Amino acid sequence: MRAGVRSRESRRLLLEAGAEEFAQTGFYQTKVSSIAARAGLTQPDFYIHFESKEQLYEELVESFGTLVNDTVQSMKIGPDLSEAEILRRGQVFLEAIFRVLSNNPAITRVGFYQATDSVRIKAEMAEHIKKHLLAAQRWGSCREELDPELTAECMIGLIERLTLTKLLPGRESPSVLAKQARNLLYHGMLGSEE
């Protein structure tokens, strides 16, 4: 294996091991030696790639935030969509978010729940959702009386709680959670009026 490939692989292993260690024991209890050991490397190997556990942690949180917010920003809506298409896109959007959160449970635990920056990450997510809701209101695809900021915050709360209680423990799949969340968000809790 070439040195550059080996170096990239070592860095990847350290990031994965760091996410696992931080998720299990928290930032303060995690030691560089435990990260290196979990990665199958030495402490000197760790310091080739990172100045400190703080730097590794910050990189994990930043990459998590970027990934989640890129997913939220990829939500596509437009004028003149049928109700069926709006529901389909809502399902696709929610499933994409749940899938990103389930792909690496350790980094999700760190970036979405433990990190101080998790508040900022969720606030950015809510802001993107709010912008989409405002656009949907302009196009007549969303009820005008809804408060887009409150609705976006409710969506983040729903995603956050379902991820913690259903997704990360493996009790539900991203597609099942997306369908249930979409039905709640788009149809509400009451039966249809006759």
Side-chain angles (χ1 to χ4, degrees), residues 44-94:
D45 292 329
F46 177 94
Y47 289 111
I48 289 170
H49 299 282
F50 301 99
E51 291 178 14
S52 62
K53 74 174 184 178
E54 289 85 357
Q55 183 188 18
L56 186 145
Y57 190 83
E58 288 170 10
E59 187 171 321
L60 286 170
V61 172
E62 189 59 37
S63 65
F64 173 79
T66 299
L67 178 63
V68 168
N69 279 301
D70 286 352
T71 304
V72 173
Q73 288 180 36
S74 72
M75 183 168 110
K76 301 292 182 214
I77 57 170
D80 303 323
L81 295 177
S82 69
E83 185 175 324
E85 182 60 17
I86 291 169
L87 289 172
R88 188 192 73 74
R89 288 185 185 197
Q91 170 89 20
V92 167
F93 165 70
L94 287 165

